[in-house]
């Protein structure tokens, strides 16, 4: 087999060499002219595509598409006003750095197209679609020309945009940045192949540039592509037994990431690298019967994760019979498809960093690898090439529905107006002066966020889309939990905290509404009234509340009875809204003066740098009359002893199944409800070292303490993770026990006061005038805020606090010099590296064709 492949490669080289110096025949000239005319065909297809999409009746299509249209609008408005980096968007999430955490290339490209179309968002989108098709087409057109497979490359140029994996990304997910990256990935992979086979130094520049462009489209996908390329290189080395060039390519990829440093550094420091999770990851694995099912593909128009049966079979056939250049691409494509099956999910989940392996997102890269392998398979019979091309077109035809719909010619404005009918959004927006908070069931997704904030006039909102860019993500999650779990007092009190003067509640979000609708409505109205909100209007499934009498701009001050500290402290605030939530989990960040005026301190999932100092602080507070409640499940592990001990009380691990045994407490025997279905195994702790035991539970015949006091009566420990249990089940007995523990009522609310503010926003910053100190502005805190007059800026629970007088804030570009330094380092190192490789190639030019004068880039 290896000898046969080597002979095929020799024949390919011989044929290529013998024909290169011969005189071109009329047929050859005709083919060259035809090849040169193909770009005109591309332009015609792009124009027809834009026309077809404009009449589809479903455009702009995709679940996330309006998020990217929103960003394009921001950029377009910035370009018009002369603000070429609109770093701050006041419409979503109480103010958000929307260009910081999602790469800017797509937003600027779409914003420019929107500008060309006179500010027409949807016209800009159509132009983006047409240009994207041309970028895809010319990528493969160039690959075909450079590889000697002109017409096969031209064919892939014509169909690459329409392949199922790419169509779903663009028109199903509406992920425009990842769709744009598919225009650069083929050129990136081709540059890698060319360097590994011919060692032309100019390809290193191409690798770095195309890697940088991919990152500036979509950072997460750029990381996936880089990982996929590493696997591809390892397969290439294993099959060809040639490792030369591997490190060169890896360095070029690293330099590509470095080139984007001016954007990459603030993005990563801000936390976008932490947005993925294993829970989300689970949705990107599926049965191979779905990934390779063309029948279902035809039935549904396009299943979300159709890899493509024709491509997979081509890869299998090519792996057995093609040459060594093609085999790595074919094998890589096969592995991508196989590894996306549900059987591999537990394996990848257990790997370090495995939460980033969203395997079905590799589909486009896997198909690209197969296509590159097909390009390099030059010994394949022409009739087989034609057959594969015909089958590829047939396999892609159902995907056209995603772009073309039923050609109903319904325009986006009509669709969006229809979507708002019956939603009462227009009414809510009309009365909103400062900020709108809409609790909704998520059916509208990103489109719903766009309708609330952009459509029919701009309205700042508490929620939005693309939560990865939000500094108030924890606040948003809490509000959603409160709505889902019927914590009405928390819902409306924290709506005030977030500066919302209008609250729209779609009753479908309330967990209990389907069981007891009348009780839910009356409870909502009562909770809203207790926070100053009055019912403005309602329908059977929607209620609008408005903060009557509030000024146009305002903030709040609040007095809390308690403070909750730790990563799990959010749970107690839902049931006891009188607890203040704070950003820091570290006890060493707090002083005695910070905490001494609270009646209750709740610790759950707290941390410390100095355990002795943390224990001294908590003991001093408890001795001076502050009630300290410690959720034992959140006590950190001691760095030296590796046990979980705090102030003499030690945690012992225990597990219960289905439900707790009877709990024996000072309030009597408690027969609690069973665990929720998705928490049948309850891993928790009991306690050793309590001074007074207030509660025990039986396990294997032993009575284990789970509740009681420590060194004094104000130092109270609670095990069994009861706060989480109460949040999940709402068990009234546990609710009463926790009320006893806290010495608080779940119906108590903070003493919150509305304070009038004057806020003036500009492209460069904002000024805030406040009549008193310590006012929560309801504006999200960002590290891009800088005090222009030296006045201190304060942050608490991800929100901005100001003192009396005028506060002048300027918007800065965070980590600017660090980002510039990384970009410059990438540019300098890439230039030096390419120069070194060029010199080495020039010096060794007599050694053979692999060291010939290089072709720059592609």
């Amino acid at each position: 087999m290896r000898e046969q492949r080597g002979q095929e490669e020799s024949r390919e080289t011989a044929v290529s060499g013998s024909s290169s110096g011969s005189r071109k025949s009329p047929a050859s000239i005709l083919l060259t002219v035809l090849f040169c005319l193909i770009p005109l065909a591309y332009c015609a297809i792009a124009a027809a595509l834009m026309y077809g999409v404009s009449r589809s009746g479903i455009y702009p299509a995709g679940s996330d598409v309006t998020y990217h249209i929103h960003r394009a609008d921001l950029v377009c408005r910035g370009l018009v006003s002369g603000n070429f980096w609109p770093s701050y968007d006041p419409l979503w999430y109480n103010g958000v750095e929307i260009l910081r955490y999602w790469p800017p290339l797509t937003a600027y490209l779409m914003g420019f197209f929107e500008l060309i179309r006179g500010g027409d968002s949807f016209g800009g989108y159509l132009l983006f679609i047409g240009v994207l098709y041309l970028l895809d087409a010319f990528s493969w057109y160039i690959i075909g020309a450079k590889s000697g497979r002109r017409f096969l490359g031209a064919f892939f140029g014509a169909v690459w945009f329409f392949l199922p994996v790419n169509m779903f990304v663009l028109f199903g997910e509406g992920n425009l940045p990842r769709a744009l990256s598919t225009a650069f990935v083929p050129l990136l992979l081709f540059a890698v192949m060319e360097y590994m086979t011919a060692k032309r130094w100019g390809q290193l520049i191409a690798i770095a540039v195309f890697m940088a462009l991919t990152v500036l489209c979509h950072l997460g996908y750029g990381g996936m592509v880089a990982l996929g390329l590493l696997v591809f290189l390892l397969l290439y080395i294993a099959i060809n037994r040639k490792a030369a060039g591997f490190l060169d390519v890896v360095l070029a990829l690293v330099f590509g990431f470095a080139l984007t440093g001016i954007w990459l550094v603030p993005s990563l420091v801000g936390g976008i690298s932490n947005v993925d999770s294993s829970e989300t990851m689970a949705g990107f694995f599926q049965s191979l019967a779905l990934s390779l099912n063309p029948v279902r593909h035809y039935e549904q128009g396009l299943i979300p994760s159709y890899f493509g049966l024709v491509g997979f079979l081509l890869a299998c056939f090519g792996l057995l019979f093609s040459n060594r250049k093609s085999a790595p691409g074919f094998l890589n494509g096969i592995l991508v498809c196989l590894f996306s099956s549900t059987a591999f999910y537990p394996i990848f989940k257990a790997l370090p960093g495995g939460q980033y392996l969203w395997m079905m997102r590799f589909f486009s890269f896997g198909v690209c690898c197969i296509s590159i392998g097909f390009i390099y398979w030059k010994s394949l019979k022409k009739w087989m090439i034609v057959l594969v091309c015909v089958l590829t077109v047939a396999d892609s035809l159902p995907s056209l529905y995603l772009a073309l719909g039923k050609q109903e010619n319904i325009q986006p404005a009509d669709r969006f107006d229809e979507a708002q009918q019956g939603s009462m959004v227009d009414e809510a927006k009309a009365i909103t002066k400062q900020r709108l908070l809409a609790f909704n069931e998520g059916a509208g997704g990103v489109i719903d966020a766009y309708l609330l904030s952009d459509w029919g006039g701009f309205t700042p909102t508490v929620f939005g889309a693309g939560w990865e860019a939000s500094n108030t993500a924890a606040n948003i999650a809490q509000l959603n939990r409160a709505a889902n779990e019927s914590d009405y007092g928390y819902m409306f009190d924290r709506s005030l905290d977030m500066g919302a003067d209008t609250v729209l509640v779609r009753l479908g979000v309330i967990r209990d509404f389907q069981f007891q609708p009348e009780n839910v409505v009356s409870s909502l109205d009562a909770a809203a009234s207790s926070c100053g909100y009055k019912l403005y209007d309602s329908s059977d499934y929607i209620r609008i509340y408005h903060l009557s009498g509030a000024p146009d701009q305002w903030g709040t001050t609040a007095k809390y009875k308690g403070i909750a500290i730790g990563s799990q402290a959010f749970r107690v605030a839902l049931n006891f809204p009188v607890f203040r939530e704070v950003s820091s989990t570290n006890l060493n960040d707090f002083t005695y003066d910070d905490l001494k005026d609270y009646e209750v301190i709740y610790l759950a999932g707290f941390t410390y740098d100095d355990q002795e100092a943390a224990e001294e602080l908590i003991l001093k507070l408890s001795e001076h009359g502050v009630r300290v409640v410690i959720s034992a499940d959140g006590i950190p592990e001691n760095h030296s002893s590796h046990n979980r001990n705090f102030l003499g009380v030690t945690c012992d691990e225990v597990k219960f199944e289905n439900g707790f045994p009877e709990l024996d407490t000072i309030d009597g025997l408690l027969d609690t409800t069973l665990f929720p279905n998705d928490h049948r195994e309850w891993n928790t702790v009991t306690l050793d070292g309590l001074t007074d035991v207030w509660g025990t539970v039986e396990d294997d015949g032993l009575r284990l303490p789970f509740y009681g006091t420590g060194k004094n009566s104000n130092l109270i420990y609670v095990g069994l993770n009861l706060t989480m249990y109460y949040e999940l089940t709402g068990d009234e007995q546990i609710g009463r026990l926790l009320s006893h523990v806290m010495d608080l009522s779940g119906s108590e609310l903070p003493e919150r006061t509305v304070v009038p503010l004057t806020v003036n926003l500009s492209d460069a910053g904002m000024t805030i005038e406040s009549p008193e100190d310590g006012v929560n502005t309801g504006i999200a805190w960002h590290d891009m805020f800088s005090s222009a007059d030296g006045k201190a800026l304060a942050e608490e629970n991800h929100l901005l606090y100001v003192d009396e007088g005028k506060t002048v804030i300027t918007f800065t570009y965070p980590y600017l010099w660090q980002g510039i330094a990384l970009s410059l380092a990438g540019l300098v190192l890439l230039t030096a590296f390419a120069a070194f490789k060029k010199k080495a190639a020039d010096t060794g030019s007599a050694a053979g064709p692999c060291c010939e004068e290089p072709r720059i880039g592609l």
Side-chain angles (χ1 to χ4, degrees):
M1 179 77 67
R2 294 193 186 104
E3 292 178 0
Q4 180 181 357
R5 285 180 175 172
Q7 291 170 3
E8 289 173 353
E9 292 172 0
S10 298
R11 285 197 300 270
E12 291 168 10
T13 303
V15 171
S16 174
S18 63
S19 62
S20 61
S22 60
R23 181 178 300 174
K24 290 186 177 180
S25 66
S28 177
I29 294 173
L30 180 61
L31 290 175
T32 301
V33 171
L34 180 61
F35 181 72
C36 293
L37 292 176
I38 286 175
L40 296 178
Y42 289 158
C43 292
I45 294 173
L49 175 65
M50 288 190 289
Y51 177 74
V53 170
S54 71
R55 294 181 52 83
S56 65
I58 58 174
Y59 97 96
S63 56
D64 289 340
V65 68
T66 51
Y67 173 77
H68 303 293
I69 289 177
H70 175 88
R71 295 207 316 154
D73 288 342
L74 181 71
V75 170
C76 182
R77 293 195 303 271
L79 294 175
V80 170
S81 67
N83 181 17
F84 298 109
W85 180 258
S87 57
Y88 185 77
D89 175 15
L91 293 181
W92 284 352
Y93 295 123
N94 295 58
V96 62
E97 296 175 88
I98 204 166
L99 293 176
R100 177 173 175 179
Y101 301 105
W102 282 102
L105 184 58
T106 307
Y108 271 85
L109 191 61
M110 287 190 63
F112 176 70
F113 292 152
E114 184 177 327
L115 187 64
I116 291 176
R117 294 298 300 266
D120 178 5
S121 301
F122 306 122
Y125 170 82
L126 289 174
L127 192 54
F128 174 82
I129 296 297
V131 171
L132 177 58
Y133 176 82
L134 292 177
L135 288 173
D136 282 347
F138 280 105
S139 293
W140 286 100
Y141 185 82
I142 292 170
I143 290 171
K146 295 295 183 181
S147 65
R149 306 300 299 276
R150 295 182 300 177
F151 290 98
L152 186 55
F155 166 78
F156 274 114
V159 302
W160 177 248
F161 179 96
F162 297 106
L163 294 185
V165 290
N166 295 331
M167 288 286 279
F168 181 73
V169 169
L170 179 57
F171 296 110
E173 293 180 348
N175 194 326
L176 307 188
R178 195 151 64 88
L180 180 60
S181 69
T182 61
F184 304 125
V185 171
L187 292 169
L188 173 59
L189 183 57
F190 179 69
V192 169
M193 273 295 297
E194 286 292 283
Y195 186 78
M196 292 300 292
T197 56
K199 305 299 183 296
R200 296 187 177 94
W201 63 268
Q203 298 299 337
L204 294 173
I205 298 177
I207 291 169
V209 169
F210 290 127
M211 187 73 257
L213 288 171
T214 302
V215 169
L216 289 176
C217 288
H218 194 295
L219 176 59
Y221 189 61
M224 292 180 176
V225 168
L227 178 61
L229 285 172
L230 290 178
V231 174
F232 174 84
L233 287 169
L234 293 175
L235 294 176
Y236 181 91
I237 291 169
I239 292 172
N240 290 274
R241 299 182 180 180
K242 295 178 181 178
F246 173 78
L247 291 179
D248 294 346
V249 172
V250 171
L251 284 174
L253 292 173
V254 171
F255 295 150
F257 277 91
L259 288 174
T260 69
I262 192 170
W263 172 81
L264 185 64
V265 170
S267 174
L268 291 178
V269 172
I272 196 172
S273 58
N274 298 321
V275 303
D276 294 344
S277 68
S278 58
E279 288 78 12
T280 306
M281 169 191 176
F284 288 85
F285 290 78
Q286 70 173 10
S287 167
L288 288 178
L290 292 177
S291 298
L292 300 174
N293 190 337
V295 175
R296 189 172 178 186
H297 178 47
Y298 271 91
E299 289 175 349
Q300 298 188 3
L302 182 71
I303 58 174
S305 43
Y306 180 59
F307 184 83
L309 181 62
V310 173
F312 184 80
L313 293 178
L314 171 64
C316 294
F317 184 73
L319 182 62
L320 295 174
F321 301 108
S322 70
N323 54 53
R324 289 183 177 179
K325 283 186 180 180
S326 298
F330 289 141
L331 181 55
N332 206 12
I334 293 170
L335 292 178
V336 165
C337 187
L338 294 179
F339 287 162
S340 70
S341 70
T342 49
F344 285 92
Y345 169 66
I347 299 172
F348 288 143
K349 182 181 179 181
L351 294 176
Q355 70 269 24
Y356 301 111
L357 297 177
W358 298 9
M359 287 308 300
M360 287 193 297
R361 280 202 168 179
F362 283 96
F363 273 9
S364 184
F365 178 76
V367 172
C368 184
C369 288
I370 294 172
S371 303
I372 287 290
F374 192 33
I375 288 283
Y376 278 99
W377 191 359
K378 298 184 179 180
S379 62
L380 188 63
K381 301 294 185 182
K382 288 185 179 179
W383 69 267
M384 296 187 71
I385 295 175
V386 173
L387 178 62
V388 170
C389 291
V390 170
L391 292 176
T392 299
V393 171
D395 205 28
S396 303
L397 284 176
S399 305
L400 288 175
Y401 176 79
L402 285 177
L404 303 181
K406 296 181 180 179
Q407 292 293 289
E408 294 173 327
N409 199 24
I410 302 173
Q411 293 306 299
D414 298 326
R415 288 174 49 223
F416 288 172
D417 286 341
E418 183 180 353
Q420 285 205 9
Q421 290 179 5
S423 68
M424 303 182 71
V425 168
D426 288 341
E427 286 186 61
K429 293 179 70 167
I431 62 173
T432 299
K433 297 178 181 178
Q434 176 162 278
R435 196 169 293 117
L436 170 64
L437 198 168
F439 291 100
N440 64 75
E441 59 270 29
V446 178
I447 292 178
D448 194 49
Y450 184 77
L451 295 178
L452 286 166
S453 62
D454 294 64
W455 192 249
F458 296 128
T459 303
T461 58
V462 173
F463 290 176
W467 62 267
E468 298 91 339
S470 166
N471 274 14
T472 56
N475 309 63
I476 302 304
Q478 278 287 77
L479 286 166
N480 281 324
R481 289 189 192 100
N484 181 255
E485 296 168 12
S486 305
D487 297 314
Y488 309 123
Y490 186 97
M491 275 177 61
F492 287 101
D493 178 72
R494 290 330 193 250
S495 296
L496 271 177
D497 191 47
M498 300 293 283
D501 59 307
T502 304
V503 178
L504 184 150
V505 182
R506 293 177 181 165
L507 297 174
V509 304
I510 309 297
R511 179 178 58 188
D512 297 335
F513 179 69
Q514 58 180 321
F515 305 112
Q516 41 187 341
E518 293 183 1
N519 289 343
V520 166
V521 168
S522 61
S523 298
L524 273 174
D525 290 350
S529 179
S530 67
C531 294
Y533 290 97
K534 304 300 180 185
L535 181 66
Y536 177 79
D537 200 359
S538 65
S539 66
D540 290 342
Y541 297 102
I542 299 172
R543 301 182 81 75
I544 298 176
Y545 300 92
H546 186 64
L547 192 64
S548 57
D552 289 355
Q553 295 176 315
W554 51 274
T556 57
T557 58
K559 183 178 179 181
Y560 295 84
K561 282 189 175 182
I563 184 170
I565 302 172
S567 60
Q568 298 301 308
F570 68 89
R571 300 187 187 281
V572 74
L574 291 171
N575 299 306
F576 298 91
V578 78
F579 276 102
R580 180 191 295 274
E581 299 153 280
V582 291
S583 305
S584 176
T585 64
N586 193 327
L587 286 181
N588 300 131
D589 290 343
F590 300 89
T591 66
Y592 176 79
D593 288 337
D594 292 334
L595 303 176
K596 65 182 177 61
D597 294 328
Y598 292 103
E599 295 181 17
V600 185
I601 298 172
Y602 180 79
L603 305 179
F606 62 93
T607 61
Y608 49 72
D609 300 318
D610 183 337
Q611 182 174 359
E612 183 177 349
E615 290 183 327
E616 182 181 343
L617 171 65
I618 295 303
L619 184 60
K620 182 179 178 181
L621 287 163
S622 65
E623 289 174 344
H624 284 75
V626 179
R627 194 179 189 90
V628 181
V629 179
I630 300 175
S631 175
D633 291 84
I635 294 176
E637 184 179 277
N638 184 281
H639 299 308
S640 56
S641 65
H642 299 295
N643 64 4
R644 295 165 65 186
N645 179 290
F646 194 75
L647 285 170
V649 175
T650 303
C651 300
D652 297 318
E653 295 184 358
V654 65
K655 182 174 73 173
F656 298 98
E657 295 185 358
N658 298 320
F660 292 125
E662 195 173 55
L663 305 182
D664 186 359
T665 76
I666 57 173
D667 294 322
L669 296 175
L670 306 183
D671 186 12
T672 57
T673 57
L674 296 177
F675 300 147
N677 289 331
D678 52 348
H679 291 82
R680 286 303 185 188
E681 289 190 356
W682 197 263
N683 295 294
T684 183
V685 298
T686 55
L687 301 166
D688 184 28
L690 294 174
T691 301
D692 289 324
V693 176
W694 292 354
T696 61
V697 63
E698 184 174 338
D699 183 55
D700 290 335
L702 300 175
R703 302 300 303 182
L704 304 178
F706 71 88
Y707 170 33
T709 63
K711 292 184 178 296
N712 60 61
S713 60
N714 281 326
L715 196 58
I716 304 170
Y717 294 80
V718 181
L720 302 188
N721 209 354
L722 289 184
T723 308
M724 179 178 176
Y725 172 82
Y726 181 50
E727 179 194 347
L728 294 174
T729 65
D731 188 299
E732 294 181 0
Q733 299 175 90
I734 298 301
R736 288 192 292 270
L737 182 148
L738 291 175
S739 290
H740 186 170
V741 170
M742 309 294 179
D743 195 23
L744 294 171
S745 167
S747 62
E748 289 185 77
L749 297 174
E751 297 178 18
R752 198 177 297 277
T753 305
V754 171
V755 179
L757 297 175
T758 301
V759 182
N760 292 307
L761 179 66
S762 69
D763 291 340
M766 70 176 80
T767 60
I768 304 173
E769 294 185 51
S770 170
E772 55 185 276
D773 290 341
V775 176
N776 168 23
T777 63
I779 297 171
W781 164 265
H782 297 280
D783 60 5
M784 67 177 285
F785 291 167
S786 176
S787 176
D789 53 6
K791 201 168 186 178
L793 302 177
E795 176 268 340
E796 184 177 309
N797 198 28
H798 316 290
L799 298 172
L800 172 67
Y801 282 66
V802 297
D803 287 335
E804 181 181 359
K806 178 184 285 189
T807 301
V808 181
I809 298 172
T810 57
F811 298 154
T812 60
Y813 192 98
Y815 307 100
L816 174 63
W817 295 111
Q818 296 92 324
I820 290 176
L822 182 59
S823 290
L824 288 176
L827 181 61
V828 170
L829 291 173
L830 176 61
T831 303
F833 184 55
F836 172 76
K837 287 297 176 180
K838 179 182 184 302
K839 183 177 180 180
D842 291 341
T843 302
S845 59
C850 69
C851 296
E852 65 190 21
E853 183 66 23
R855 294 177 289 179
I856 302 295
L858 296 177

